[in-house]
Amino acid sequence: MAKKSKKQQQPGGTPATVALTAAGVPYTVHAYEHDPAHPSYGEEAAEAMGVSPDRVFKTLVADVDGALVVAVVPVAGSLDLKALATAVGGKRAAMADPVLAERTTGYVRGGISPLGQRKKLRTVLDASAAAHDTVCVSAGRRGLEVELSPDDLAKLTEAVPAPIARA
């Protein structure tokens, strides 16, 4: 898919798109009608955009040894909590309380973006992202995704690349 740069904040912009615009990073916004009955936010996004689920990445918030950490993994797989803990030098990881994740990131569940979070959290990007020219992540609300290069995503989030996804 062609990348385009948004030079000005568009109406309905989110903190994620504002951060991308401010950084001057090329990205494409993909909007789709969110179905609240769909069982998976990430799979819904991949289906709606017609993009392979291995190129659409979900943003998960975990607790690693008492600190919140963001994990960005393909929707085609699941998060390996032990691998996440290892990637950040921790011992134990568990999924974070959803209310705490929402409060800390400033986004709602199903719309948490790794970009433009209220509080910058340590981020780990699954190593499989490097195999793609572009990946899609939440733009900060349900039914809105941004497509960008995995290098730009890693740079803007200061992500550590690591194999943290299971097939």
Side-chain angles (χ1 to χ4, degrees), residues 1 13 30 51 57 66 75 83 85 98 121 126 160 167:
M1 292 186 181
H30 297 278
V51 174
F57 283 65
V75 302
L121 298 174
D126 186 65
V160 172

Side-chain angles (χ1 to χ4, degrees), residues 141-153:
R141 71 173 183 249
R142 296 171 188 156
L144 196 66
E145 295 277 312
V146 290
E147 181 178 354
L148 72 164
S149 81
D151 289 341
D152 286 338
L153 177 61

Side-chain angles (χ1 to χ4, degrees), residues 33-164:
E33 189 67 36
H34 166 62
D35 176 5
H38 201 288
S40 167
Y41 297 115
E43 288 175 11
E44 175 190 28
E47 291 167 10
M49 294 186 302
V51 174
S52 173
D54 65 337
R55 276 192 48 231
V56 179
F57 283 65
K58 55 190 169 186
T59 306
L60 304 171
V61 181
D63 180 313
V64 179
D65 298 335
L68 293 181
V69 175
V70 171
V72 185
V73 297
V75 302
S78 61
L79 173 61
D80 180 335
L81 288 166
K82 185 172 182 136
L84 176 64
T86 300
V88 296
K91 293 183 181 187
R92 295 192 53 184
M95 294 307 297
D97 173 70
V99 173
L100 180 60
E102 289 180 343
R103 189 176 333 122
T104 304
T105 64
Y107 294 118
V108 298
R109 207 170 132 237
I112 294 177
S113 178
L115 301 156
Q117 295 179 356
R118 180 178 290 151
K119 178 181 179 190
K120 189 169 180 75
L121 298 174
R122 195 164 181 193
T123 302
V124 180
L125 175 61
D126 186 65
S128 69
H132 306 287
D133 291 334
T134 62
V135 295
C136 298
V137 296
S138 176
R141 71 173 183 249
R142 296 171 188 156
L144 196 66
E145 295 277 312
V146 290
E147 181 178 354
L148 72 164
S149 81
D151 289 341
D152 286 338
L153 177 61
K155 183 178 174 184
L156 291 174
T157 59
E158 299 175 10
V160 172
I164 58 168

Side-chain angles (χ1 to χ4, degrees), residues 2-52:
K3 295 186 275 183
K4 62 183 176 183
S5 179
K6 301 286 184 176
K7 296 297 182 193
Q8 298 175 351
Q9 181 180 350
Q10 300 297 313
T14 66
T17 59
V18 169
L20 287 165
T21 301
V25 170
Y27 67 97
T28 303
V29 173
H30 297 278
Y32 59 92
E33 189 67 36
H34 166 62
D35 176 5
H38 201 288
S40 167
Y41 297 115
E43 288 175 11
E44 175 190 28
E47 291 167 10
M49 294 186 302
V51 174
S52 173

